[in-house]
Amino acid sequence: MTPPAPIIATAAVLYEAGKPLSIEEVEVMPPGRGEVRVKMKAAGVCHSDLHVIKGDLAMPMPIIPGHEGSGVIESIGEGVTSVKVGDHISPIWRASCGQCDFCMAGRPALCDMGTRMRFEGVMPDGTMRFRNSAGTPIRHYAGVSTFSSFATMPEAAVVKIPETCSFEHAALISCGVITGVGAVTNAARIHPGCTIAVFGAGGIGLNIIQGARMMSARQIIAVDIHDTKEAHARRMGATHFINSRDRDPIQAIKDLTGGRGVDFSFEAIGLPITIEQAYDSLKKGGTCVVSGICRADARAQINVNQLVYAEKTLKGTLYGSMRPRVDLITLMELHQNGKLMLDELLTHTYRLEQINEAYEALERGEVARSLILFS
Ligand code: CU
């Protein structure tokens, strides 16, 4: 067998925060030891990339964003055992080493190796596998860079998925679904019959609503500033919708819960104001879970005495506090069993060339979830 050679791919490259992504041809190096090269089939248009694109979260550049998706293994490097050429995969946007204390504790999203890859934009060995036409190395976003028709990734950043799961469904599950459903089942661990409020009915928030429906929450109150989100939220299981531009959401939530507040609140936007509102909407003994990603320098103000006198809990969750290697497959089965809705999440599809347009539509609040589809 001849060793794999570099491939020319089409990718969306970010050279400077605040500027549009540049669609261009890049060279994708063959996979080294413990690496694979993936032919991308679908990539999710997620808000977290927008933080990097807009400069809210500083990253070294140039970089190819994109962290959700699905694809096919095009080639494998030496020593790769968990996948073979032709396998369908989903990328894992926080690769984990499998050996550190976080990994051993079942919290792979906190793995130091994955954290370093995410913030430095590198492979585990600290180098890069993309080059532009001028020969400049390009960084990897979260080790996966799904906004490229081909990408080299560590084996630790891919999971083999069943071929019965479509590429579109796999891409939806790989970030929005696992993060939202996991926030409910793994981070909050809600109980049947509880009341919940969700701030933000976007890609994550809709899946928090869906997770709460699956866990038989009694009241599911969605809060957003776009009336267009109401239909999406109700379809996923919301029992109430509050437009927080028209009404104070804290008072509205209290009104719906006999003046007490909700058992669990979720913040899926990434703004200090909505984190404060989510915390203030809690009933005594309630738990507020934050999954939204704020600007790097953001601070929020909460009444700390309520942590004691009201026994409130404020906690965060990354990747839904799930174990993607296992839980992505479980979620695929839940869809097959008719318990997890996926088609209802997908409102728009685009070609990679339309990526800037896709992000503009996301910012205008027009979409539930959108995907880039590769040929
Ligand atoms: Cu995402």
Side-chain angles (χ1 to χ4, degrees):
M1 200 174 92
T2 47
I7 274 186
I8 301 296
T10 308
V13 186
L14 182 66
Y15 284 92
E16 200 183 323
K19 294 274 166 66
L21 292 159
S22 159
I23 307 296
E24 56 186 64
E25 292 197 334
V26 299
E27 209 178 353
V28 186
M29 302 305 125
R33 188 173 176 81
E35 297 173 1
V36 300
R37 191 164 54 192
V38 175
K39 177 173 169 42
M40 218 67 73
K41 300 300 282 185
V45 180
C46 180
H47 217 105
S48 354
D49 300 284
L50 199 56
H51 284 295
V52 176
I53 296 168
K54 290 169 72 177
D56 294 343
L57 295 176
M59 281 289 297
M61 306 215 182
I63 187 165
I64 299 174
H67 61 279
E68 321 178 3
S70 56
V72 178
I73 299 287
E74 177 269 339
S75 55
I76 60 172
E78 242 181 276
V80 170
T81 55
S82 65
V83 286
K84 57 183 191 311
V85 173
D87 279 352
H88 293 193
I89 62 97
S90 256
I92 297 174
W93 48 259
R94 198 48 72 85
S96 53
C97 71
Q99 287 161 14
C100 68
D101 52 346
F102 296 115
C103 288
M104 298 309 281
R107 307 182 76 180
L110 302 182
C111 173
D112 288 336
M113 179 187 89
T115 305
R116 169 164 181 249
M117 285 168 59
R118 161 64 182 78
F119 288 95
E120 295 177 20
V122 291
M123 299 294 274
D125 69 0
T127 63
M128 288 150 264
R129 304 287 176 272
F130 294 116
R131 257 200 315 248
N132 67 9
S133 57
T136 308
I138 305 174
R139 287 176 191 265
H140 302 253
Y141 182 58
V144 294
S145 291
T146 57
F147 296 161
S148 176
S149 58
F150 287 89
T152 294
M153 307 175 187
E155 181 183 12
V158 299
V159 58
K160 179 174 157 53
I161 59 170
E163 291 187 18
T164 47
C165 183
S166 73
F167 291 115
E168 287 89 344
H169 287 168
L172 292 168
I173 290 175
S174 74
C175 178
V177 174
I178 190 170
T179 302
V181 173
V184 175
T185 59
N186 280 26
R189 296 185 180 275
I190 76 166
H191 51 271
C194 69
T195 56
I196 80 148
V198 183
F199 287 75
I204 307 297
L206 290 174
N207 284 296
I208 291 172
I209 293 168
Q210 152 141 275
R213 183 199 75 236
M214 291 161 77
M215 296 291 285
S216 302
R218 169 163 52 101
Q219 263 184 322
I220 303 174
I221 305 166
V223 183
D224 204 289
I225 55 168
H226 298 286
D227 280 328
T228 47
K229 298 287 180 68
E230 178 167 2
H232 298 309
R234 288 196 185 268
R235 200 176 313 129
M236 301 314 285
T239 57
H240 301 82
F241 181 84
I242 297 165
N243 186 325
S244 52
R245 279 233 165 101
D246 305 339
R247 277 191 289 168
D248 169 21
I250 304 164
Q251 191 54 50
I253 288 167
K254 295 247 159 96
D255 290 345
L256 288 168
T257 52
R260 307 189 79 184
V262 284
D263 296 307
F264 297 93
S265 62
F266 296 86
E267 202 277 348
I269 302 167
L271 288 174
I273 175 79
T274 39
I275 293 172
E276 292 162 10
Q277 289 171 340
Y279 181 81
D280 288 340
S281 304
L282 287 178
K283 179 171 151 183
K284 281 189 278 187
T287 299
C288 172
V289 175
V290 178
S291 66
I293 296 167
C294 291
R295 283 182 57 96
D297 56 358
R299 321 279 293 185
Q301 286 197 325
I302 59 158
N303 181 323
V304 286
N305 255 346
Q306 292 183 2
L307 292 170
V308 181
Y309 287 129
E311 287 200 359
K312 286 187 178 181
T313 302
L314 176 63
K315 67 186 291 190
T317 179
L318 178 65
Y319 230 138
S321 308
M322 296 278 240
R323 303 152 305 159
R325 197 164 279 289
V326 181
D327 295 319
L328 286 174
I329 311 299
T330 305
L331 288 163
M332 286 169 193
E333 286 184 18
L334 281 168
H335 173 66
Q336 283 189 330
N337 298 345
K339 299 212 166 61
L340 182 81
M341 289 155 62
L342 293 175
D343 294 316
E344 296 77 0
L345 292 167
L346 182 61
T347 50
H348 296 67
T349 60
Y350 300 93
R351 284 175 291 107
L352 183 63
E353 292 72 17
Q354 300 171 293
I355 184 119
N356 293 304
E357 202 185 302
Y359 270 109
E360 284 159 22
L362 179 72
E363 280 204 274
R364 287 194 300 267
E366 287 168 13
V367 300
R369 198 51 149 194
S370 59
L371 293 177
I372 303 291
L373 299 180
F374 297 85
S375 46

